[in-house]
Amino acid sequence: MGLGADSEVGRLRTVMLHRPGAELGRLTPRNNDQLLFDGIPWLGRAQDEHDAFAQALRDRDVEVLYLVELLAEALEVEPARASIIESTTSSLRLGDGLRGHLASVMADLAPDELALTLTAGLRNDEVTKFRSIVTSLLPPEDFLIEPLPNLLFTRDSSVWLPGQVAVTSLAMPARVRETQLTGLIYEHHPRFADASRVHGPHLEHVEGGDVLLLAPGVIAVGVGERTTPAGFERFARQVLTDGLAHTVLAVPIAQERATMHLDTIVTMVDVDTVVIYPNMAHLLRAHAVTLAPPAGPGQTGELLVEAEQSFFAAAAEAMGIETLHQIDTGLDPVTAEREQWDDGNNTLAIGPRLAVAYERNEQTNERLEEHGIEVVAISGSELGSGRGGPRCMSCPVDRD
């Protein structure tokens, strides 16, 4: 049976996570903003919190795959090693001499060592057996290979659809290399040999945190800070043409840090129920996009764009239900804003009416439980410093 998912709440069978590692230890007060973290996480505590998250999933019969382990296994394949070394050392700021040296050193690394270098990065002062005018002029603390602390948020670099995986195109410079690694895994790891791929890092920007699989055949895509209008158009045309959806909703969202992705505003906790940030619920709008029949043989149908309407009305109509029910974060506007900032909306559904959420969002979790949603509460005091919750930290590979 093939891998994939066609909803947010089908029983979760397999998920890809990234346990925070040495790359998180690269964050300093000088670079944390550039690397998209609001603070400097305590690595050991972040690892403990992540281990508890992974164990909570295993306790509910979810298979947990780790990105770096998959990467190291894929790097056993020589073409995979060659391509990722070439792309990683392609930066013009390295110069020919340093580029050649790094490529030579990386080629001699064992797969697990190469995976560590690709994720944790390499500083100028860690190059000890080679000097050039470039290494002499660059500050010692400069990264020749940037670390990837946002690998923690595996949701963004790929999205599993029915029988296919979309490798995304990330907008922020600090995250561009992430999709090179996930793309390599899906291309070269034997676990994914039968999975076809759509989209790709060379195309217009689409990020996984903006993609919600509302129901079989219905996908909502946030368009804002990370996913661009052109990225939406490309992605919508692909999934509609391939028959992976009959309706794709374009959902404009504010281009702000607090609402960087659609899943920071709204996520699903049941087949007809979402948890949503109430301060934005009435502002959330959507265009329903479908595909017209082709005009003739060998032609592709045009995208049909409906007039903008309420997100809830557009979603319910596309899903074929009377109402898309909503559960608000917090009990008042101030608490709602606080708990939205702390990823109260960013839940991961393990199955219908069963969701993982950060324990710190007490009022949101109480509201979920009042509505019959079982909450698996996890600690996220350190994990949350990158502005991501359980959904952000997980890439569902297979759902019922």
Side-chain angles (χ1 to χ4, degrees):
M1 185 175 179
L3 302 173
D6 63 4
S7 80
E8 294 290 319
V9 297
R11 187 71 191 188
L12 184 59
R13 297 301 178 186
T14 302
V15 68
M16 181 171 66
L17 308 180
H18 173 63
R19 185 178 190 263
E23 73 287 340
L24 214 61
R26 299 291 207 175
L27 290 165
T28 69
R30 188 183 63 255
N31 68 18
N32 67 292
D33 286 341
Q34 176 189 349
L35 294 174
L36 310 178
F37 270 70
D38 291 330
I40 312 300
W42 177 4
L43 176 57
R45 181 61 57 82
Q47 289 175 326
D48 290 343
E49 291 174 353
H50 197 273
D51 290 344
F53 173 42
Q55 191 57 49
L57 296 175
R58 293 191 193 96
D59 289 344
R60 288 155 182 84
D61 300 320
V62 179
E63 178 190 20
V64 174
L65 306 176
Y66 284 109
L67 185 148
V68 167
E69 292 179 2
L70 296 171
L71 176 61
E73 291 162 359
L75 290 171
E76 298 278 1
V77 180
E78 186 54 40
R81 294 173 62 88
S83 66
I84 201 65
I85 290 171
E86 180 180 4
S87 63
T88 303
T89 59
S90 64
S91 172
L92 295 177
R93 63 192 295 271
L94 296 180
D96 292 339
L98 180 55
R99 180 179 300 108
H101 171 74
L102 293 180
S104 176
V105 170
M106 293 168 73
D108 290 336
L109 294 176
D112 58 338
E113 296 171 328
L114 180 54
L116 178 62
T117 299
L118 293 170
T119 55
L122 183 71
R123 281 169 49 122
N124 188 27
D125 57 6
E126 293 169 343
V127 177
T128 58
K129 295 182 179 180
F130 175 85
R131 302 309 298 171
S132 72
I133 187 62
V134 175
T135 61
S136 299
L137 292 176
L138 287 176
E141 69 276 7
D142 266 21
F143 281 99
L144 307 177
I145 300 173
E146 294 285 342
L148 300 176
N150 292 281
L151 274 180
L152 174 63
F153 306 120
T154 55
R155 174 72 58 164
D156 294 327
S157 59
S158 64
V159 179
W160 280 88
L161 304 164
Q164 299 189 38
V165 61
V167 178
T168 62
S169 173
L170 301 181
M172 307 303 281
R175 303 197 65 181
V176 168
R177 283 203 306 112
E178 293 177 42
T179 50
Q180 296 176 4
L181 302 186
T182 50
L184 180 142
I185 289 169
Y186 294 134
E187 182 176 358
H188 294 285
H189 196 287
R191 177 75 182 256
F192 308 112
D194 296 330
S196 58
R197 298 183 300 281
V198 297
H199 210 73
H202 60 293
L203 295 174
E204 299 89 345
H205 296 314
V206 173
E207 301 203 354
D210 279 319
V211 180
L212 298 185
L213 308 180
L214 295 180
V218 183
I219 301 174
V221 181
V223 181
E225 186 189 45
R226 305 295 178 86
T227 295
T228 63
F232 170 86
E233 181 182 54
R234 172 86 66 175
F235 180 76
R237 184 178 296 281
Q238 289 176 318
V239 298
L240 291 168
T241 301
D242 290 349
L244 302 175
H246 58 73
T247 305
V248 185
L249 303 181
V251 187
I253 57 177
Q255 299 192 35
E256 299 173 358
R257 174 72 167 155
T259 56
M260 71 182 85
H261 290 132
L262 184 58
D263 70 3
T264 64
I265 301 170
V266 57
T267 51
M268 296 198 71
V269 290
D270 198 3
V271 293
D272 61 354
T273 306
V274 298
V275 57
I276 188 165
Y277 179 37
N279 296 7
M280 292 195 65
H282 68 288
L283 300 174
L284 215 56
R285 311 287 290 175
H287 291 277
V289 178
T290 56
L291 190 69
Q299 296 183 327
T300 301
E302 293 298 315
L303 294 182
L304 302 178
V305 182
E306 295 185 12
E308 185 181 78
Q309 60 177 319
S310 157
F311 166 76
F312 290 95
E317 181 179 342
M319 296 166 70
I321 60 177
E322 184 175 340
T323 304
L324 180 59
H325 302 287
Q326 65 183 74
I327 302 170
D328 293 344
T329 51
L331 297 175
D332 59 78
V334 173
T335 304
E337 185 174 1
R338 284 173 54 88
E339 297 202 355
Q340 186 273 336
W341 179 254
D342 286 331
D343 301 297
N345 307 92
N346 197 255
T347 58
L348 169 67
I350 300 175
R353 311 186 78 75
L354 174 62
V356 185
Y358 279 153
E359 63 183 1
R360 65 192 298 169
N361 296 307
E362 296 175 336
Q363 292 191 17
T364 300
N365 294 345
E366 287 177 9
R367 291 191 71 115
L368 289 169
E369 290 173 342
E370 288 170 1
H371 285 80
I373 310 300
E374 180 183 350
V375 176
V376 179
I378 64 169
S379 176
S381 298
E382 298 301 317
L383 293 174
S385 61
R387 300 269 63 83
R391 187 181 192 274
C392 288
M393 294 190 297
S394 57
C395 175
V397 173
D398 195 28
R399 285 188 184 273
D400 289 352

